Amino acid sequence: MFDVLIIGGGAAGLSCALILGSAKDKDFAKDKRIGIITHQKTSHLNTALFNNVLGLNPGTTGLSILNDGKQQLADLYPHVEQIEKEKVSQITQTDTGYTVVTNKNTYSTKLVVIAVGYTNLLTIKGLENYVGPHPRAAIEKDRIWLKNEDHLVTKGMYVAGTLAGWRSQFAIAAGSGSQVGTDILTLWNNGKHTKVHDKI
């Protein structure tokens, strides 16, 4: 049983995992089991080039961010379980949280974060009732979102990144994932607003 399972290894998913992983020394988070299904094949980062993102050297590629992000997570927060080479096919709500089915395994989790792209090719069964036309994308692009309020779709289910209704900008997607991470830390900390910063 995971305490939280993140679906998607792009900007939003990896940012969420890094925030959650960084709270490992906090009493309310130290025993939490965190996982991320790092499927990246359909990420828009695969073809991205960044010249306009604060903190990234101009010419940074999205592909390098995908690879470096997984390595950063593994190096800094190895307790966050990275599940590779699996694609989610179904999510079902249960009495204790959610069952997540992939092409290889079935997982149980108390909380789930959906952080996959916003194309209309979303194939995860169990999300159909939450899908709507994306509110911040051109109609001809045929993009979707998971209807949510402050990233919360329904009890125990969060959405982050472009699928949460945000525009397709790296900084926005990463920030959305970080927001969800701090929302979950706040939940674990009995509702006390929580953030995690490293200091020099």
Side-chain angles (χ1 to χ4, degrees):
M1 171 70 80
F2 284 96
D3 290 284
V4 60
L5 184 58
I6 302 161
I7 299 169
L14 285 172
S15 294
C16 185
L18 286 165
I19 293 294
L20 292 171
S22 70
K24 65 183 181 348
D25 295 329
K26 304 288 184 185
D27 286 342
F28 58 83
K30 65 183 179 183
D31 297 322
K32 300 296 186 189
R33 185 177 177 203
I34 304 163
I36 179 171
I37 297 174
T38 57
H39 189 269
Q40 297 177 325
K41 285 186 180 177
T42 59
S43 173
H44 286 106
L45 289 181
N46 282 298
T47 57
L49 175 66
F50 296 108
N51 293 317
N52 64 350
V53 179
L54 180 66
L56 294 183
N57 290 327
T60 298
T61 65
L63 188 58
S64 69
I65 290 172
L66 290 173
N67 293 328
D68 293 349
K70 289 196 301 185
Q71 193 60 54
Q72 179 184 0
L73 184 61
D75 290 346
L76 293 176
Y77 312 117
H79 64 287
V80 177
E81 298 176 46
Q82 292 191 46
I83 302 166
E84 299 199 41
K85 299 183 179 172
E86 294 189 32
K87 186 174 180 181
V88 174
S89 59
Q90 184 171 349
I91 298 173
T92 308
Q93 194 165 19
T94 67
D95 291 341
T96 57
Y98 292 87
T99 298
V100 176
V101 179
T102 74
N103 57 322
K104 296 182 180 179
N105 292 296
T106 299
Y107 302 95
S108 295
T109 184
K110 294 176 184 173
L111 304 173
V112 65
V113 178
I114 316 296
V116 298
Y118 67 153
T119 68
N120 67 349
L121 301 176
L122 183 70
T123 57
I124 302 173
K125 292 179 184 173
L127 299 179
E128 302 87 353
N129 291 338
Y130 307 112
V131 173
H134 198 283
R136 293 183 179 90
I139 293 172
E140 61 271 14
K141 294 268 187 183
D142 201 20
R143 303 299 191 208
I144 61 168
W145 77 316
L146 293 187
K147 299 170 192 169
N148 68 88
E149 188 170 324
D150 291 332
H151 294 99
L152 189 63
V153 177
T154 189
K155 184 179 179 184
M157 180 188 290
Y158 295 84
V159 61
T162 54
L163 193 62
W166 301 112
R167 289 191 179 91
S168 181
Q169 291 287 148
F170 174 79
I172 296 172
S176 173
S178 298
Q179 177 71 49
V180 171
T182 58
D183 286 348
I184 291 171
L185 293 178
T186 297
L187 178 70
W188 288 347
N189 197 17
N190 295 315
K192 182 179 178 183
H193 289 290
T194 304
K195 55 192 179 297
V196 182
H197 294 298
D198 296 320
K199 301 206 177 192
I200 297 173

